[in-house]
Amino acid sequence: MGNGIAHVCALGGFDVMLHDVNVDRIESGLATINGNMARQVSSGRISEEERQAALGRISGCPTLPGLGEVDLVIESAVENETVKREIYKALCPVLKPEALLSTNTSSISITRLAASTDRPERFIGIHFMNPVPVMELVELVRGIATEDATFETARTFVDELGKTIAVSEDFPAFMVNRILLPMINEAVYVLYEGVGSVEAIDTAMRLGARHPMGPLELADFIGLDTCLSIMQVLYEGLADSKYRPCPLLVKYVEAGWLGRKAQRGFYDYRGETPVPTR
């Protein structure tokens, strides 16, 4: 997500600094951006001149103090509240007082995250969809302390990226994932209960509901650990049994079968063609 956000921000004309705790991942992210922009040139979506200009706006930033003069930080770490809080604890002291801090969380309370920082009034949720260069939507989510000026600045920023904004209230998983992830979780239950195979479930939803990809294929694309984290946020935040994560989803995550990024999930991606694992 981080390299995708950097990608669209640079194409939007913004200077971008890409930070990660692992320097190798910064280099990997920059290489991914370069490759993705090259594909956009090949497809005619951008020109080679636009690609070169955008790449010139992106630089790696291996240390947090290097972010001291930025105007906006978009945190896009793993969907884990403890991890995010630790990042803010280390990040806030190096930021200038007027800098805005945002999170790309897809489910965690903006109000609660903001309260763990030194600038809750300048904190906001800017939730991009994955893959960021392709998906048009951004959810804007303000916490209880988010000032109007912060919200308007974030709105203007997203508008300049050419994205479409949907404003959500600060409830668990917001709008998109409040609807999407229970559907995916139900598809896993259908598999768990033996109603259909992986291939049958995905085929049924592609052809029967006109979805561009089946829910289990989509879960693998998102990452099964992320799917589980969001379902846990929904289950704990709304205290409703209908959001209980499917035991099979839990088992896959425990096995390290996290989807495409781990080469195995509901499909096995280690061969030339993905093969269902159940």
Side-chain angles (χ1 to χ4, degrees), residues 74-80 84 88 102-110 113 123-128 139 141 170 173-174 177 230 233:
I74 305 173
E75 168 270 309
S76 59
V78 64
E79 196 70 356
N80 181 295
K84 293 180 184 295
Y88 305 151
S102 71
T103 177
N104 186 53
T105 181
S106 55
S107 62
I108 302 170
S109 166
I110 302 303
L113 290 176
F123 189 98
I124 192 167
I126 304 178
H127 177 213
F128 292 84
E139 285 182 315
V141 191
D170 187 18
F174 317 130
N177 283 327
I230 295 171
V233 167

Side-chain angles (χ1 to χ4, degrees), residues 41-79:
V41 172
S42 298
S43 66
R45 294 181 60 197
I46 63 173
S47 67
E48 177 60 23
E49 291 74 19
E50 288 173 318
R51 183 178 81 93
Q52 292 294 339
L55 290 174
R57 298 186 190 103
I58 308 174
S59 60
C61 180
T63 63
L64 284 178
L67 301 175
E69 294 303 312
V70 302
D71 297 312
L72 168 66
V73 173
I74 305 173
E75 168 270 309
S76 59
V78 64
E79 196 70 356

Side-chain angles (χ1 to χ4, degrees), residues 8 15 30 59 61 66 68 75 80 85 92 100 110 114 116 134 143 148 150 157 159 166-167 180 192 228 232 248 271:
V8 299
D15 291 326
L30 293 171
S59 60
C61 180
E75 168 270 309
N80 181 295
R85 285 173 175 266
C92 286
L100 302 186
I110 302 303
S116 69
V134 175
D148 290 344
T150 300
F157 165 70
D159 281 340
V167 178
L180 177 63
Y192 177 60
L228 177 58
Q232 288 169 331
L248 183 59

Side-chain angles (χ1 to χ4, degrees), residues 200-219:
I201 292 165
D202 278 351
T203 298
M205 292 306 291
R206 282 198 308 270
L207 302 184
R210 301 284 291 180
H211 290 190
M213 68 172 68
L216 301 177
E217 181 186 4
L218 178 57

Side-chain angles (χ1 to χ4, degrees), residues 3 23-33:
N3 70 63
V23 176
D24 290 341
R25 292 185 66 181
I26 296 176
E27 294 303 318
S28 175
L30 293 171
T32 297
I33 293 168

Side-chain angles (χ1 to χ4, degrees), residues 40-275:
Q40 287 182 307
V41 172
S42 298
S43 66
R45 294 181 60 197
I46 63 173
S47 67
E48 177 60 23
E49 291 74 19
E50 288 173 318
R51 183 178 81 93
Q52 292 294 339
L55 290 174
R57 298 186 190 103
I58 308 174
S59 60
C61 180
T63 63
L64 284 178
L67 301 175
E69 294 303 312
V70 302
D71 297 312
L72 168 66
V73 173
I74 305 173
E75 168 270 309
S76 59
V78 64
E79 196 70 356
N80 181 295
E81 185 167 346
T82 300
V83 171
K84 293 180 184 295
R85 285 173 175 266
E86 288 300 315
I87 290 172
Y88 305 151
K89 182 179 178 181
L91 175 64
C92 286
V94 308
L95 297 179
K96 59 187 182 183
E98 63 271 27
L100 302 186
L101 179 54
S102 71
T103 177
N104 186 53
T105 181
S106 55
S107 62
I108 302 170
S109 166
I110 302 303
T111 296
R112 199 163 62 240
L113 290 176
S116 69
T117 75
D118 64 352
R119 59 195 71 212
E121 70 285 351
R122 292 188 295 281
F123 189 98
I124 192 167
I126 304 178
H127 177 213
F128 292 84
M129 306 293 130
N130 191 31
V132 183
V134 175
M135 302 297 279
E136 299 177 8
L137 185 72
V138 173
E139 285 182 315
L140 278 187
V141 191
R142 60 193 302 171
I144 194 170
T146 305
E147 291 181 340
D148 290 344
T150 300
F151 178 79
E152 292 304 326
T153 299
R155 182 195 288 274
T156 300
F157 165 70
V158 175
D159 281 340
E160 291 184 15
L161 299 181
K163 300 293 188 183
T164 298
I165 295 169
V167 178
S168 172
E169 293 297 324
D170 187 18
F171 281 85
F174 317 130
M175 291 186 296
V176 173
N177 283 327
R178 171 85 176 261
I179 298 167
L180 177 63
L181 265 297
M183 183 201 72
I184 290 175
N185 192 55
E186 190 63 26
V188 182
Y189 266 114
V190 171
L191 178 65
Y192 177 60
E193 294 167 3
V195 179
S197 66
V198 169
E199 191 171 27
I201 292 165
D202 278 351
T203 298
M205 292 306 291
R206 282 198 308 270
L207 302 184
R210 301 284 291 180
H211 290 190
M213 68 172 68
L216 301 177
E217 181 186 4
L218 178 57
D220 276 356
F221 180 80
I222 294 170
L224 303 192
D225 52 339
T226 299
C227 292
L228 177 58
S229 294
I230 295 171
M231 289 308 302
Q232 288 169 331
V233 167
L234 282 166
Y235 186 46
E236 294 165 8
L238 299 174
D240 192 324
S241 61
K242 73 179 181 180
Y243 298 115
R244 183 172 70 94
C246 179
L248 183 59
L249 177 59
V250 176
K251 183 179 292 187
Y252 269 60
V253 173
E254 289 176 343
W257 292 19
L258 307 181
R260 284 183 175 271
K261 61 187 175 185
Q263 294 298 299
R264 277 192 294 186
F266 293 113
Y267 292 85
D268 188 325
Y269 299 92
R270 292 174 295 176
E272 292 186 8
T273 304
V275 178

